[in-house]
Each structure stands twice: as C-alpha cells, then as structure tokens.
Amino acid sequence: MPLPVARVPRTTSTVLAVLTVLVGLGGRALLPEPVGGPVGDVLYAMLVVWLVVLVVPRAPRALASAIALAVCTAIEVSHLTDVPARLLEQVPTARYVLGTTFGVADLAWYALGAFLAGAVLAVVAPRAAAVDEALRHVRAEPVRVAGRRIAAFLVPLAVVAVVVAAGVGVERSLSTEAAGLRAQVAVARTELDDSADKVADDAVRSALAQTLDEAETVLDATPVLERGPGDAVAAGARVERSVAAVRESRRTVAIAAATDAREPLAPVRRRADDILTATDELADEGRGAGRAVRNALRDAVGAADDALATAEPGHLDTMRLADLESVADDLLAHRDDVAQATTALMTAQDAAVCPEPDQLWFPGAGRLAEDELAPIPWAPEHLLRADLVDGLVALDEAYRAEFGEHLAVNSAYRSYDDQVAVYDPANPDPLAAPPGCSNHGLGTAVDVSMGPESFDGARYAWMKAHAEQYGWTHPGWAEPDGRLPEAWHWESVETPVSY
C-alpha cells in the first residue's frame, strides 16, 4: 500500500510564515530597491506556500507550490485590469496583499519562491506518512491526545500573537518616525520661507527645497510596503543638514551686513561729537542751544555706542540667528536717530546764534583743516575749499575771455577769527554773518568785484547768465530785492541751504 503524504505540522508552517514576514521586513529596510524588490517577490510566493500548508497540512509539496504560484500569478495579472486600482482606493491597506503594479519579471521571481518553498517543505517535513500511521495507534491516551491538540492550537496562536505584536511595534515605530519627520519638515518649510534674500548662496535654499520634496515623498509612501523602518529618520537627517547649511549661510550674510552697517554710523557719530563740543562751548558763553536738545543728542549717541559694542565681531559670532539678523537694522536705525538728533541740535543752535532764517550754523565754519583748502590761482592770498577751485578757474577763464581780465576776488574763505573781526552785531544791517553762520567759513563763497555799476553793470549780468554753468550762483538774499543786496557775493551750488 502506498505511503500517505507527509504531514507538515501547523506549528512549523506558522513559524515559517513568521520568519518569512520578518525576513521580508528586514530586507525592505536594509536592501536597495533593485535587490529588495525581487527578494520581496520570492518571499511573498514562499509565504503563500506556508499559508497553503497551514490550511492543508497534508497537501503535496508540488501542489502547494503550484497553488501558491497560481495565486501570485493571478494577483499580478489582475493589475492589467482596473479592479485592483478601484479596490485600493476603497481599502488602501489591501496593497500589502495585492501590490501596486504589474511586472513580467515578478512572475519569474514568484516561480522561484514557490520552488524554494517546496524544497524547504521537503526538509522540514517531520516524518513520513508511514511513521505517522505507526504512531497513530500509540496516541491512544485521551489526556495526551487532548494535551497535544491544545498545544497544536495554542502554539500557532502564540506565534500569531507574536507576529501581531511585532507588526504593531513596527507600525508604531514607523508612525513615530513619520511624526518626527513631519515636525522637521514643518520647521524646515518655515526656514525656507524666512531665508529668502538672506543667504549668501541661493543654492543652499534650492538644496533644502529638494530635500523637503524628497522627505514629502517618504511621508507619502506606504508604511512597510514602500517605507521601511529608518527611512523617515534618514530623511530627517538630510533635512536637518540642509537646514543647518541654510542657517550657516544666513549667518554669513547677517555678519557681513552688521559689519557694513557699522561703517556709516561712525562718521555720523563723530559729527555728533563735534556738534556737542561746539554747542557746549557756546553754552558756556551763554549762547548755546537748550540743555534738553543737547541731552537728546547725548542719549542718541549713548544708545548708538551700546549698539556698536553689541556689534563687535566677537559678539556677532555667538549671537542667536534671530538677534544677529536684526543687528544691521538696529545700527542703521541708531545712525538715523543720531543724525536726526544732530540736525535738531544744529537747528536749535542756529536759532540761538544766527539771526537770519537763510543763515545756517555749522560748528566747523571757519575751522577747516589746511588740507581741505587750496589757494585761488590768480589770487593765492585767498583760499577756497579745494574741490571747488577747478569750477572757479573755469568760470574765470570764461569771464576773462569776455572782459579781458580775471575775476577780482576780494574775499573767500574766512577763519573763525576772521569772521569775528568783520562781524559787528551792533550794526543793524551787518555786511557779515555771525561767526559759524557764514558760508565764507565753509570755503564755498567768494566776494568778486562787479565794478562801480554793481547790479546794473555788464559784469553782473554776464555772471547771472553764465556762472551756474560752472557751479556758482548768486543767492536770493543777496539779490537787489533780497534781505541784504550784495552784487559781489557768489557761492558754490554745493553750499548747504538746509541740514
């Protein structure tokens, strides 16, 4: 009589199924896609074989392998229709069983898996059918038979419980990893938006944008089937590196901006010191601007000094990025504050010492350094601001071509002491402004003889028609109908008329 087919215990088939699932998860996490894909197909076919023999322990190995191959082939071929796609829309988790696409090569891997499973069954079959038949009569004791039946039920159940627990653990691990990655992506998106126009090289922002897109792809992937353990963590590490590169580039820009912002504050700060020194001296003489406006400038200068100290290179390197990026704006704001407070003090001092609305007070008037002045070539005893001499020379050449003589210069730059000497405050119609209020003290004015005809002569008429071509003009207050008619007073168009 032929021997019956060897029986595969359900415990064995359950263990094989569990091991296959675990190996599949490990391969998904560790193997590259070109290798992991085929290995997954082989293991899938083997898993179907274990399930067949789990249901029918005495199924012939060849039949179990054939059934498994038929099932795998049917599932794969079904993707040539729209049935799987519609099912997956309703039940996304069905992709764990159905997969997602059709591939001809997958059929060959399924065949290999079915064959290997059959070979494994040949090895693990515990005993021949004849041995089972001989032992069947020995198992007569009811208690032992009942115990073995209970064990045959409990052992597979325990194994299934372990598999379920492992699956839950994997699912929670993947969920935790995904939650962490989503948080990183949210922070990185904000970083990407905030860093526009704030980086030294926009390539780091492009790299961050690409890394974020890749991270979104990882998050969209199906857990286990497409996204294995560690995938989200690896994507998060890439996002973190890209964010760090963007922030480092932002620091570079912010430090450069802060360093650049120090430069324009320095001359404004020095000018404020000069104004304060001059107004304090006038205050000692009883002619200074009010204390409040002087203290306002001192406060602005003190705040600017604190900002400059904060912006020292050693401090910039240790600042938080948010604070660092505000340094340049703070310095520029302090520069504007000092400049406005300086103008306010000069205006107040102007009101205190310059009697006329068209006069401006400057602390440096009459106190120009030697290297700021140059002699007028045909009248070297008179000095002018050095950068204005060429324009006056050009005007003189045109004047000489018209009248055959040089401009007759009677006065140009006046030192502070010179202005003190010519100013007579007792004269109700003074021909000289108070010291500090005259543009002669700025080196921007000359007194030129217009001849005895004064306003009515050809010289004045010619100068009115041509002087501005060379950068010189006759101010309104010196016009025939002005506050103080002076045909001889001409000044550079660069003479300040406001603060």
Side-chain angles (χ1 to χ4, degrees):
M1 184 177 74
L3 294 176
V5 177
R7 175 181 176 278
V8 178
R10 286 190 170 89
T11 302
T12 301
S13 56
T14 302
V15 170
L16 289 173
V18 171
L19 290 176
T20 301
V21 171
L22 294 178
V23 171
L25 291 176
R28 175 66 182 83
L30 301 176
L31 297 175
E33 180 58 29
V35 177
V39 169
D41 292 340
V42 170
L43 293 175
Y44 183 79
M46 295 178 74
L47 178 62
V48 175
V49 173
W50 310 145
L51 296 177
V52 169
V53 296
L54 179 63
V55 175
V56 185
R58 293 187 180 280
R61 296 188 297 275
L63 178 60
S65 296
I67 292 174
L69 180 58
V71 170
C72 293
T73 301
I75 292 175
E76 191 71 20
V77 172
S78 71
H79 284 285
L80 297 176
T81 71
D82 62 349
V83 174
R86 283 184 293 162
L87 179 60
L88 291 175
E89 288 180 1
Q90 301 298 320
V91 187
T93 54
R95 66 181 60 196
Y96 293 111
V97 176
L98 301 180
T100 56
T101 58
F102 173 79
V104 175
D106 293 345
L107 299 177
W109 296 116
Y110 291 145
L112 176 60
F115 172 77
L116 291 177
V120 170
L121 288 178
V123 174
V124 301
R127 56 185 64 85
V131 177
D132 282 347
E133 181 67 18
L135 292 177
R136 184 173 55 180
H137 301 288
V138 180
R139 299 172 184 162
E141 302 88 341
V143 175
R144 181 177 299 179
V145 171
R148 289 182 178 178
R149 286 180 179 177
I150 293 173
F153 172 76
L154 292 180
V155 171
L157 182 62
V159 173
V160 170
V162 171
V163 173
V164 171
V168 171
V170 171
E171 188 278 331
R172 288 185 178 179
S173 175
L174 292 177
S175 297
T176 301
E177 291 179 0
L181 179 57
R182 286 191 184 92
Q184 287 180 292
V185 168
V187 172
R189 288 287 181 197
T190 301
E191 180 70 32
L192 184 63
D193 294 339
D194 290 347
S195 62
D197 301 323
K198 295 181 181 178
V199 294
D201 182 2
D202 210 50
V204 295
R205 294 187 71 249
S206 298
L208 175 56
Q210 181 178 348
T211 302
L212 287 175
D213 290 342
E214 293 170 355
E216 295 285 4
T217 300
V218 171
L219 290 173
D220 291 340
T222 303
V224 180
L225 186 62
E226 298 173 340
R227 169 164 51 87
D231 288 354
V233 174
R238 292 192 294 271
V239 170
E240 186 175 347
R241 288 193 295 270
S242 294
V243 168
V246 169
R247 288 178 177 170
E248 186 60 31
S249 188
R250 288 177 68 173
R251 291 190 68 86
T252 299
V253 170
I255 290 175
T259 302
D260 291 343
R262 289 174 58 89
E263 297 181 7
L265 178 55
V268 174
R269 171 70 176 74
R270 288 194 298 270
R271 183 167 177 256
D273 275 341
D274 293 341
I275 301 298
L276 283 170
T277 300
T279 54
D280 286 344
E281 291 176 355
L282 290 172
D284 292 340
E285 300 172 6
R287 298 188 299 123
R291 182 184 300 274
V293 71
R294 285 184 284 130
N295 286 342
L297 179 55
R298 284 193 177 88
D299 291 343
V301 168
D305 287 344
D306 291 342
L308 284 170
T310 301
E312 289 290 340
H315 291 167
L316 296 177
D317 293 338
T318 59
M319 274 188 179
R320 291 172 55 248
L321 179 60
D323 296 334
L324 179 59
E325 289 184 329
S326 68
V327 169
D329 288 341
D330 288 345
L331 289 174
L332 295 177
H334 284 298
R335 179 201 64 186
D336 293 342
D337 290 345
V338 172
Q340 291 170 6
T342 299
T343 297
L345 179 54
M346 293 176 71
T347 301
Q349 186 60 56
D350 188 330
V353 298
C354 299
E356 302 299 337
D358 53 44
Q359 294 174 338
L360 296 177
W361 174 82
F362 288 94
R367 293 186 171 91
L368 299 186
E370 289 185 6
D371 59 358
E372 295 179 87
L373 299 167
I376 297 174
W378 66 93
E381 68 277 15
H382 297 293
L383 302 176
L384 199 63
R385 208 174 76 186
D387 60 314
L388 303 179
V389 171
D390 289 345
L392 187 63
V393 169
L395 174 62
D396 178 70
E397 290 176 353
Y399 181 88
R400 189 151 49 95
E402 179 70 18
F403 296 102
E405 60 186 15
H406 287 291
L407 289 166
V409 180
N410 297 321
S411 179
Y413 171 72
R414 295 182 196 145
S415 68
Y416 189 87
D417 292 338
D418 292 338
Q419 195 68 26
V420 170
V422 298
Y423 174 60
D424 181 7
N427 186 345
D429 190 23
L431 294 181
C437 303
S438 171
N439 49 34
H440 278 282
L442 300 178
T444 63
V446 292
D447 289 342
V448 180
S449 175
M450 294 291 99
E453 302 89 354
S454 187
F455 289 109
D456 299 325
R459 289 174 173 78
Y460 177 78
W462 186 92
M463 288 285 285
K464 282 289 292 183
H466 301 284
E468 286 199 15
Q469 300 175 26
Y470 303 95
W472 293 83
T473 188
H474 196 246
W477 61 264
E479 289 288 288
D481 57 351
R483 173 180 61 81
L484 188 62
E486 293 183 357
W488 59 85
H489 183 92
W490 297 83
E491 58 190 45
S492 167
V493 295
E494 296 187 22
T495 301
V497 295
S498 65
Y499 292 124

